[in-house]
Amino acid sequence: MEILSQKRETEQANEVPGCQQTGTCQQYQSRHAVVGDINTCTRPAPIGTHLLDEWTWWYIDLEKVISIYSIRIQFKGYGEQYVMRQRGRFASFSLYVSNTTIKEDGYLCYKNGQELPTLDFSTTCVKHGRYVIFYNERLDGTTYPSGYETALVYTELCEVTVTGCKESGLYGYNCDLSYPNNCQELRCDIVNGTCLGCTAGWLGEFCNKSCPAGYYGLQCRSTCTGHCRDNLSCNHTTGQCDYGCGNGWTGIHCNTRYTGERCDKECPPGTYGPDCLNVCNVTKGCNPGYTEELCDKEAPNVSNDEDSTTNAYIAGLSISVVINSVLIVVIVILLRVIYNRKQEQRSSDYIASAEISPPSPPSSQVSNNDVHQYQELKMPNDSSYQNLSSRDRL
């Protein structure tokens, strides 16, 4: 593996109080931990219970996100008689790899436990990141394991060595093997090349298996929802239809020269067909064989429609004739009934009149008054008829 840390930019916590007056600030700068000399060490302000500073930190900037394999820290030693004190100062530290200077944004590579660490410490940390962060603390009210220094804790890092591959996308002992194409963010195990995550649409240790039909996206967790042309499955990476939409559907774009259509929206009114590119001309009617407002439904056989129309016309005409005939018969009957009733009424009136008027008296019963009237005419009693001879009567 290659050394990534040498002569990179570094930063650390507050400087040692009073170093300006003593002129020692220069010899405790953070960069002394990456110059390749074990005799030069960093030293920020001490931490401890009942002190102003309760935590300290130091980090190195690797300039870009790269693949890390291991981290080695060589802590300051003062001879055999101070070994346990120095290990007690070193105890409880943590190591992070992050893409920012904030440790919580990154990955925890190592956290020291109750056992005191060695002054020459190494750990494997197969991660990807730009910053390697050292952190330690001594908090008031916290009980620490036996052997931990808590009162006046100096952090003195003499050399921090980060190894890995300088170029992104490479792995292997000699950093000469290329990552699999579909590793997420070009992250893979720097030793065996297995991906630490796959890009959308891929699965497997080496991310070389595409999502099964009907699924897409990160870890193939998303389900295709579009209606792709010819019932094809959506793109396993994007979830879109690479070859356009099926009949009656559209998506992000309504033109097949664009790739990646969702095809999850029905055609708007007045359009039809693949990607809704066809416009219905309802003013001129539908094409033969189609009906409905949008001309998107197949019509029954045309000849059958004509027969049905003719039959319907004949049936309607017949019904109309029958209804009119019935109406005429009813009217004739009503007129006849009215006429008969009037005739019967006239007969009744005539009979009633005859019964009321008295009969005329016979000629033998002519009243004296009639004789008197007759005499007033000064006519002789002998009628001229009586004076007629027998011959004249004949």
Side-chain angles (χ1 to χ4, degrees):
M1 298 292 173
E2 301 169 309
I3 296 176
L4 307 177
S5 52
Q6 203 164 51
K7 297 182 180 180
R8 300 295 184 186
E9 293 294 327
T10 59
E11 290 290 344
Q12 67 182 9
N14 298 327
E15 60 187 18
V16 176
C19 68
Q20 295 289 349
Q21 289 77 13
T22 59
T24 57
C25 293
Q26 186 70 21
Q27 71 183 67
Y28 298 138
Q29 291 181 349
S30 63
R31 64 182 181 85
H32 289 310
V34 293
V35 295
D37 185 355
I38 194 67
N39 295 312
T40 59
C41 306
T42 67
R43 180 190 284 186
I47 61 173
T49 56
H50 308 300
L51 290 181
L52 181 63
D53 293 324
E54 293 186 327
W55 54 80
T56 189
W57 51 266
W58 175 96
Y59 69 74
I60 182 172
D61 181 2
L62 301 176
E63 296 184 355
K64 61 181 180 180
V65 176
I66 53 180
S67 182
I68 297 171
Y69 176 69
S70 68
I71 302 172
R72 178 186 180 187
I73 298 179
Q74 293 170 276
F75 203 74
K76 177 73 173 179
Y78 287 93
E80 289 295 329
Q81 60 180 341
Y82 295 109
V83 168
M84 295 307 296
R85 185 197 69 178
Q86 293 300 96
R87 291 178 65 183
R89 289 177 173 178
F90 196 24
S92 188
F93 76 96
S94 302
L95 293 175
Y96 295 85
V97 173
S98 177
N99 291 338
T100 71
T101 58
I102 301 173
K103 61 184 177 62
E104 288 80 7
D105 291 342
Y107 306 94
L108 176 63
C109 280
Y110 177 82
K111 176 69 173 74
N112 179 232
Q114 292 188 354
E115 185 177 352
L116 299 181
T118 62
L119 298 183
D120 189 348
F121 170 84
S122 294
T123 185
T124 300
C125 182
V126 180
K127 298 293 182 183
H128 291 74
R130 176 173 175 173
Y131 299 91
V132 174
I133 303 171
F134 171 93
Y135 176 82
N136 206 351
E137 64 186 13
R138 293 293 187 271
L139 304 177
D140 280 339
T142 301
T143 301
Y144 291 95
S146 175
Y148 276 46
E149 293 288 323
T150 59
L152 190 63
V153 181
Y154 282 97
T155 299
E156 299 170 294
L157 309 180
C158 296
E159 195 66 27
V160 177
T161 306
V162 180
T163 63
C165 294
K166 291 182 179 179
E167 297 300 323
S168 300
L170 297 178
Y171 74 98
Y173 184 78
N174 295 317
C175 296
D176 56 355
L177 301 176
S178 298
Y179 285 3
N181 292 331
N182 301 312
C183 285
Q184 188 177 25
E185 298 180 8
L186 294 179
R187 295 179 181 179
C188 82
D189 189 298
I190 196 171
V191 177
N192 57 31
T194 57
C195 295
L196 303 182
C198 297
T199 57
W202 298 96
L203 296 171
E205 289 186 345
F206 296 94
C207 300
N208 54 1
K209 298 178 181 179
S210 62
C211 294
Y215 296 90
Y216 74 97
L218 288 174
Q219 301 181 17
C220 301
R221 290 180 177 177
S222 300
T223 303
C224 296
T225 57
H227 298 262
C228 299
R229 178 171 295 188
D230 300 327
N231 293 321
L232 295 173
S233 178
C234 71
N235 184 290
H236 66 96
T237 300
T238 64
Q240 300 171 347
C241 297
D242 292 335
Y243 301 99
C245 304
N247 288 332
W249 295 92
T250 185
I252 297 175
H253 304 291
C254 211
N255 193 317
T256 53
R257 72 174 179 268
Y258 297 101
T259 59
E261 298 171 79
R262 286 292 181 188
C263 302
D264 55 358
K265 296 180 180 178
E266 294 189 40
C267 288
T271 62
Y272 69 98
D275 297 293
C276 305
L277 296 179
N278 299 322
V279 179
C280 297
N281 189 352
V282 294
T283 59
K284 296 182 179 180
C286 300
N287 291 330
Y290 289 88
T291 183
E292 298 296 335
E293 180 182 351
L294 299 181
C295 302
D296 58 352
K297 298 196 181 292
E298 294 186 6
N301 186 278
V302 176
S303 61
N304 291 339
D305 284 352
E306 293 177 353
D307 293 341
S308 298
T309 303
T310 302
N311 293 336
Y313 175 76
I314 295 172
L317 182 60
S318 300
I319 293 172
S320 177
V321 170
V322 171
I323 292 173
N324 291 333
S325 299
V326 171
L327 288 175
I328 292 172
V329 170
V330 171
I331 292 171
V332 170
I333 292 173
L334 289 175
L335 292 175
R336 184 64 180 174
V337 170
I338 294 171
Y339 175 77
N340 290 340
R341 287 184 178 179
K342 286 185 177 182
Q343 288 297 103
E344 291 176 357
Q345 184 67 35
R346 286 178 181 176
S347 298
S348 298
D349 292 343
Y350 178 77
I351 294 170
S353 175
E355 290 176 351
I356 294 172
S357 300
S360 300
S363 58
S364 59
Q365 298 179 0
V366 177
S367 67
N368 294 329
N369 186 39
D370 292 337
V371 175
H372 176 71
Q373 290 178 355
Y374 177 83
Q375 290 176 351
E376 286 180 353
L377 292 176
K378 296 182 179 181
M379 293 181 66
N381 293 333
D382 295 335
S383 134
S384 59
Y385 179 78
Q386 291 177 352
N387 293 330
L388 290 176
S389 64
S390 298
R391 180 176 58 81
D392 292 331
R393 293 176 187 175
L394 299 171

